[in-house]
């Protein structure tokens, strides 16, 4: 089983949907997938309720608490994403054998 951590930083909706489609296919193949939104992608997620719901149905989503605070998005993102310190999460995931892929 492959273990992948998708780090999604892009603000473009299509570039957010692409890795999540990839995640859905990988989950169906039995691979371990984690996904985290960081920085500009959090602005896109906060501004699009439908996108957040679509993404949440694929994988448990996490986002950077520090970026959310910086952009003033905590209350919007808190509804559908788990806000965490992303740096620690990435380090822990790599230690646990997950390969980081950025989008």
């Amino acid at each position: 089983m492959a273990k992948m951590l998708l780090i999604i930083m892009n603000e473009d909706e299509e570039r957010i949907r692409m890795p999540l489609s990839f995640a859905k296919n990988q989950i169906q193949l039995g691979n371990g997938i984690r996904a985290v939104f960081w920085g500009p992608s959090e602005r896109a997620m906060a501004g699009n309720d439908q996108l957040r719901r679509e993404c949440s149905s694929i994988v448990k989503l996490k986002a950077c608490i520090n970026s959310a605070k910086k952009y003033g998005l905590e209350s919007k993102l808190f509804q559908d994403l788990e806000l965490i310190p992303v740096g620690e999460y990435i380090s822990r995931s790599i230690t646990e054998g997950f390969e980081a892929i950025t989008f």
Side-chain angles (χ1 to χ4, degrees):
M1 170 180 84
K3 293 166 53 172
M4 294 169 261
L5 169 64
L6 310 181
I7 303 170
I8 304 165
M9 297 182 288
N10 203 295
E11 197 167 5
D12 181 87
E13 263 186 53
E14 289 306 309
R15 292 185 179 183
I16 290 173
R17 282 190 166 93
M18 182 185 63
L20 292 168
S21 175
F22 172 78
K24 184 176 182 178
N25 291 331
Q26 292 302 308
I27 290 167
Q28 290 172 349
L29 292 171
N31 291 319
I33 296 292
R34 292 180 180 174
V36 64
F37 292 90
W38 199 5
S41 65
E42 292 179 68
R43 287 193 301 253
M45 293 299 283
N48 190 323
D49 295 339
Q50 180 183 353
L51 181 61
R52 274 197 322 279
R53 283 190 301 274
E54 281 176 39
C55 295
S56 295
S57 71
I58 296 170
V59 67
K60 176 63 179 164
L61 300 175
K62 299 181 183 327
C64 181
I65 183 71
N66 296 316
S67 292
K69 286 179 180 178
K70 176 183 175 182
Y71 298 127
L73 304 173
E74 298 149 286
S75 62
K76 191 72 167 176
L77 293 175
F78 181 73
Q79 299 170 25
D80 300 300
L81 290 85
E82 180 182 354
L83 299 175
I84 60 167
V86 167
E88 294 172 21
Y89 183 69
I90 292 171
S91 296
R92 187 175 62 250
S93 294
I94 290 171
T95 300
E96 293 172 2
F98 283 79
E99 293 287 331
I101 304 171
T102 58
F103 294 91

